[in-house]
Amino acid sequence: MAQVNVAVIYYSATGANHRLATVAVEAAKEAGAEVRLLKIPELAPKEAIASNPAWAKHHEETQDVPEVKHDDLDWADAFIFSVPTRFGNIASQAKQFFDTCGGLWAQGKLANKVVSAMTSAQNAHGGQEATLLSLYTSMYHWGAIIAAPGYTDQALFAAGGNPYGTSVSVDNEGNWLQDVTEAVKVQAKRTVEVATWIKKGRGL
Ligand SMILES: Cc1cc2nc3c(=O)[nH]c(=O)nc-3n(C[C@H](O)[C@H](O)[C@H](O)COP(=O)(O)O)c2cc1C
């Protein structure tokens, strides 16, 4: 099988999406991919971070995670994004990062990437599906090939049955309210599998 490079790219204030991302990293490695865990740069002022102990703690604990760079996007055959739901949409940090990618897009370097996405929200019906669909809208503009999990495995039903991507409800401190580990693993492995098909099919 062709070796694929996977960038697992997340934004997380209180840790829920960091946890989703780290599970995806391990599963993608198990599936044979070369994997990078990368965080989207924080934009919030220091005062805002300091005002929320869970946010401040997570911010401090993840200082060593490298920030995503455009070179990482160029390197990767597939992206797995994990981004919190904010007012039914992706966190602005992620949108800001996407908006810096015009140069790569113009060079055609974002086309044909395999993309899958995950999210968290406080409420089960607080916009999880809308967030994933809105992230994928940007990806269509990049020329991505969306590898949604659909209902391809029983683990996806057990995790709430979101066919667009794994989503998890969380408390105020970013703790998962249910264990979606198996669904994340299925999604990450499927992303690697689809990226392998695409890479082989392109003769790369
Ligand atoms: C500004 C803001 C808007 C939010 N909007 C929603 C929302 O629309 N629906 C919802 O269920 N949760 C909402 N939340 C809760 C977040 O989704 C939750 O904090 C996040 O999933 C935690 O992920 P993290 O630990 O990776 O930061 C919001 C939180 C913030 C700070």
Side-chain angles (χ1 to χ4, degrees):
M1 286 218 305
Q3 165 101 36
V4 298
N5 296 336
V6 177
V8 179
I9 302 168
Y10 76 96
Y11 171 77
S12 188
T14 53
N17 286 273
H18 175 258
R19 185 174 168 196
L20 289 165
T22 54
V23 175
V25 165
E26 289 314 311
K29 282 182 184 168
E30 275 172 28
E34 187 77 24
V35 187
R36 294 181 185 172
L37 175 68
L38 303 158
K39 72 182 175 197
I40 291 172
E42 183 58 88
L43 296 176
K46 274 186 273 183
E47 299 74 26
I49 298 170
S51 71
N52 177 339
W55 192 357
K57 182 169 181 281
H58 180 70
H59 186 70
E60 188 57 35
E61 286 172 352
T62 50
Q63 284 302 304
D64 291 344
V65 179
E67 291 188 341
V68 60
K69 304 281 186 234
H70 289 167
D71 281 353
D72 296 309
L73 300 185
D74 194 22
W75 166 84
D77 302 299
F79 310 137
I80 299 174
F81 289 106
S82 194
V83 176
T85 294
R86 296 270 171 91
F87 303 130
N89 211 314
I90 59 173
S92 58
Q93 286 83 351
K95 184 63 167 68
Q96 162 64 16
F97 174 68
F98 291 167
D99 289 354
T100 69
C101 297
L104 276 182
W105 169 83
Q107 296 170 63
K109 290 187 169 179
L110 296 176
N112 302 320
K113 306 287 186 178
V114 172
V115 172
S116 207
M118 307 182 288
T119 191
S120 67
Q122 197 157 9
N123 307 285
H125 301 286
Q128 305 184 2
E129 292 155 6
T131 298
L132 294 174
L133 291 171
S134 113
L135 188 149
Y136 289 147
T137 296
S138 295
M139 294 302 111
Y140 293 126
H141 290 244
W142 286 12
I145 297 146
I146 306 297
Y151 294 104
T152 54
D153 190 283
Q154 283 301 317
L156 303 166
F157 292 95
N162 185 340
Y164 309 109
T166 306
S167 58
V168 65
S169 299
V170 297
D171 67 15
N172 277 333
E173 296 181 330
N175 299 302
W176 294 3
L177 297 181
Q178 65 180 128
D179 188 358
V180 296
T181 302
E182 290 310 311
V184 176
K185 287 182 180 175
V186 168
Q187 184 171 356
K189 286 181 178 169
R190 177 170 165 80
T191 306
V192 172
E193 190 178 27
V194 173
T196 304
W197 296 336
I198 301 288
K199 198 163 182 179
K200 280 177 75 174
R202 297 177 70 203
L204 298 174

